[in-house]
Amino acid sequence: MVSRLKEVLASFSKFPFPLRWHFVVLVSAAMLPLVIFASMMVSKLAHSQRLASERRLMYETQELAAAVDREVESIVRTLEALAVSDQLRRGQLRSFHDELVLVKQTQPNWATIQLHSEQGELLITAIREFDETPQRLQPFDPKSLARVLVTGKPAVGSIIRRSDLPKKDEVSFAVRVPVLVNSRVKYILSAVIGANAIQEIVTQS
């Protein structure tokens, strides 16, 4: 290294530059490897930090998805418990409506609970009196309703806006379960969930 620096200084002696320029060039030549090394380390550190951020974001996303899944599973279990009601099995819809109203009071994030016939007709909604005519209402998210009828399995609908729901629940989604009688879908029981429920999960996660 010393011999190399001497060669560099000797080469500069052939040119009529001031001595201070020789030192500038010499220091620059000596610093160049350090600058290159520092640039490489900074680039490597930035890459490592980016990977760590991506891993952290992936972990948080997975945790959030798991929390949402747990919430949906809890809703499905509650609906499935309602689906085996003796009142519903015997077709006593007025008494079953009273059960839905009581359950709705325990679920602040549920906009309503609905019961549809196998033809997709709305029979009961927990936010209306039993004697009212909810059949005139358009089905909430008919695609998920049809999916339950076809598959005979629970389904989660899309997030949509409905003006016939309470203001805070206008943006909602439906969680639906089939009610099976003699191994066929007799009714579809649904919880319409305000999207604010998902926002609370995000805030708590």
Side-chain angles (χ1 to χ4, degrees), residues 91-111:
Q92 298 177 355
L93 298 187
R94 182 182 294 272
S95 297
F96 185 64
H97 173 268
D98 294 340
E99 290 184 16
L100 296 190
V101 171
L102 291 176
V103 172
K104 167 67 175 65
Q105 292 173 356
T106 67
Q107 303 292 334
N109 288 326
W110 294 22

Side-chain angles (χ1 to χ4, degrees), residues 52-66:
S53 297
E54 290 175 354
R55 286 194 294 269
R56 184 171 60 253
L57 180 59
M58 181 65 69
Y59 174 79
E60 292 174 353
T61 301
Q62 291 173 344
E63 286 293 302
L64 178 59

